[in-house]
Amino acid sequence: MRRETKLIHQISGCGETGAISTPIYQTSTFVQDAPGVNRGYDYARSNNPTRAALESLIAELEGGSNGYAFASGLAAVDAVVKLLSAGDHIVAVDDIYGGSYRSFTHIYEKLGIEVSYVDTSDPVNVAEAIRENTKLVWLESPTNPTLKVSDISAICEIAHRRNALVVVDNTFASPILQRPIEFGADIIIHSATKYLAGHSDVIAGLVVTKTPELGEQIKFVQNATGGILGPFDSWLTIRGIETADLRVRKQSESALKIARWLQSQPEVDIVNYPGLVTHPNHEVAKKQQEAFGGVISFSLVDDTQDAAIEFVTKTELFQLAESLGGVKSLLCHPATMTHKSTPREHRLQAGIHESTVRLSVGIEAAEDLIEDLQNTFVSLQKSEPCLEKA
Ligand SMILES: *Cc1c(COP(=O)(O)O)cnc(C)c1O
């Protein structure tokens, strides 16, 4: 069965009533027939049928053995880091999601877990950073917001030779475009808040493991620490996933058109999009992704925060907000929004310029989105005649 068919038919509704949609089991506990004798469910922190349906769906989509649903992407990150002990070490991608960076530096380092950050788009950097006590290599590919791409299979080979597991935060690509377990990854994380749920209406996180043994360990943390996804949010996430294939392909198609258009604009300096042949990791992206996703970032020739802020407040279809992956197009200014707490030096080093703008392309007509960007450039020229090129 092909993936887009599985998306729809993996989950059945309710056998008893014929309901075609997965029921929402809004219950905290389950009646037992005798002490310890239940019908597969005993207490809803441990397991809930609606959540279980989502968990098996994501495991299937990622090609893993087990899936687990959490209250947010960061709760999923947290559950994975809790596999480690004090004295363990993580090698992480340097432009890691800000929230993951915050929990690594302000929570886990305090508990004795060390983290080294390297540019994982060159696997040699990973090889050099791995130590005796390295337990995890933590990747995101593509990254946020500069869309760097890392060679997942090359890094898995390096990490496994040194007995480290590879975790891939697959939020930006989604399993529609990239399934890291096929390239050797051990654990997959999602902020399902983004492409999987896809409608900017729920916060959710998912973990998928390659093996049942790792699955058992995540399951233990999930039950022991309790950061589970509730039944209604599980249902919303399932409903989102059912249309993920349509949405993500359309978003990728539109994003490629928009990225090419941006490249030809005189106001635009650098365009970061893995689908462009000019992207430094384009070949690797082509090897491991089916398409290039719905996020683009670009900087302006007038590389100032003021120019970018004017731009992001003037678009009409692209709405100014954090987050990405939904049906409505969004844009943001990383230097003053998502990466505000990243020190300026660190930010510039990671390729996030003063004027970098991040677009999350929705499912509107690409032509309308391009018109919106074009109108914004025109209105900026009008409002700042002194900046007009001679
Ligand atoms: C948003 C995001 C997260 C965190 O997910 P939440 O659902 O907001 O907790 C983690 N990783 C990446 C790459 C993200 O974009």
Side-chain angles (χ1 to χ4, degrees):
M1 209 190 286
R2 285 154 193 83
R3 194 167 345 99
E4 56 266 44
T5 314
K6 272 190 203 157
L7 278 172
I8 309 300
H9 287 279
Q10 161 84 9
I11 294 185
S12 45
C14 172
E16 256 172 60
T17 63
I20 200 159
S21 161
T22 315
I24 300 171
Y25 287 89
Q26 194 68 52
T27 186
S28 62
T29 193
F30 300 84
V31 175
Q32 308 197 0
D33 299 327
V37 181
N38 59 50
R39 299 167 216 172
Y41 296 91
D42 57 1
Y43 185 61
R45 172 169 21 75
S46 309
N47 218 339
N48 172 289
T50 316
R51 195 178 89 219
L54 169 62
E55 293 178 333
S56 69
L57 178 61
I58 190 63
E60 177 68 37
L61 284 182
E62 285 286 4
S65 65
N66 301 68
Y68 300 96
F70 292 87
S72 68
L74 280 180
V77 167
D78 184 65
V80 172
V81 182
K82 282 186 175 133
L83 300 180
L84 304 191
S85 307
D88 288 344
H89 175 245
I90 300 174
V91 174
V93 53
D94 58 359
D95 50 352
I96 189 167
Y97 176 70
S100 306
Y101 178 78
R102 181 176 53 203
S103 68
F104 286 1
T105 47
H106 295 292
I107 296 179
Y108 293 109
E109 289 194 9
K110 209 169 60 183
L111 299 178
I113 292 167
E114 285 180 283
V115 187
S116 306
Y117 298 92
V118 298
D119 178 353
T120 57
S121 64
D122 185 351
V124 171
N125 295 333
V126 176
E128 283 173 358
I130 291 181
R131 308 179 190 158
E132 278 296 300
N133 59 342
T134 303
K135 292 288 158 62
L136 301 178
V137 173
W138 194 286
L139 301 180
E140 279 174 34
S141 185
T143 60
N144 175 30
T146 55
L147 290 310
K148 274 195 224 161
V149 170
S150 296
D151 187 331
I152 298 170
S153 61
I155 291 171
C156 286
E157 228 170 85
I158 291 167
H160 291 160
R161 236 183 285 135
R162 310 279 295 273
N163 296 319
L165 298 178
V166 176
V167 178
V168 178
D169 181 332
N170 201 26
T171 299
F172 267 50
S174 90
I176 305 302
L177 305 182
Q178 168 175 280
R179 288 163 300 281
I181 288 175
E182 289 172 4
F183 302 104
D186 302 280
I187 300 176
I188 310 304
I189 288 172
H190 280 284
S191 169
T193 310
K194 316 290 167 56
Y195 286 104
L196 288 172
H199 294 72
S200 309
D201 55 9
V202 63
I203 299 284
L206 298 167
V207 175
V208 175
T209 61
K210 179 161 66 182
T211 64
E213 293 71 29
L214 275 173
E216 283 300 306
Q217 294 176 39
I218 295 288
K219 174 78 198 172
F220 182 84
V221 175
Q222 186 192 41
N223 187 47
T225 62
I228 52 157
L229 191 64
F232 183 59
D233 288 351
S234 296
W235 182 86
L236 274 174
T237 305
I238 291 169
R239 193 172 68 156
I241 290 176
E242 287 177 338
T243 57
D245 193 85
L246 289 175
R247 288 185 284 103
V248 172
R249 286 185 198 284
K250 159 103 181 172
Q251 286 164 310
S252 300
E253 243 172 65
S254 299
L256 184 59
K257 284 186 197 158
I258 294 170
R260 286 182 178 149
W261 179 83
L262 281 168
Q263 263 192 325
S264 69
Q265 299 309 300
E267 295 88 349
V268 174
D269 186 12
I270 301 162
V271 182
N272 300 308
Y273 187 67
L276 296 173
V277 288
T278 50
H279 187 283
N281 317 120
H282 177 65
E283 287 306 316
V284 177
K286 240 169 52 181
K287 184 183 78 170
Q288 64 192 21
Q289 296 182 217
E290 287 184 23
F292 305 101
V295 178
I296 305 166
S297 66
F298 63 94
S299 58
L300 301 171
V301 172
D302 177 8
D303 187 28
T304 62
Q305 293 202 356
D306 286 351
I309 289 169
E310 256 226 281
F311 185 87
V312 298
T313 50
K314 284 219 160 119
T315 51
E316 285 182 359
L317 292 177
F318 281 95
Q319 302 193 64
L320 181 62
E322 308 223 352
S323 200
L324 56 109
V327 292
K328 287 183 179 155
S329 291
L330 301 178
L331 87 178
C332 79
H333 180 229
T336 57
M337 293 171 70
T338 51
H339 290 66
K340 192 179 176 170
S341 55
T342 311
R344 187 170 177 276
E345 295 305 292
H346 191 138
R347 218 185 344 102
L348 293 175
Q349 218 175 349
I352 306 165
H353 299 270
E354 301 295 15
S355 70
T356 297
V357 170
R358 183 186 77 189
L359 302 179
S360 168
V361 175
I363 63 169
E364 304 92 336
E367 295 70 20
D368 287 329
L369 296 175
I370 288 173
E371 266 173 42
D372 187 29
L373 298 173
Q374 177 142 45
N375 293 341
T376 308
F377 283 130
V378 169
S379 83
L380 288 188
Q381 277 172 1
K382 282 191 191 134
S383 67
E384 291 177 77
C386 55
L387 290 181
E388 261 174 18
K389 290 191 196 91

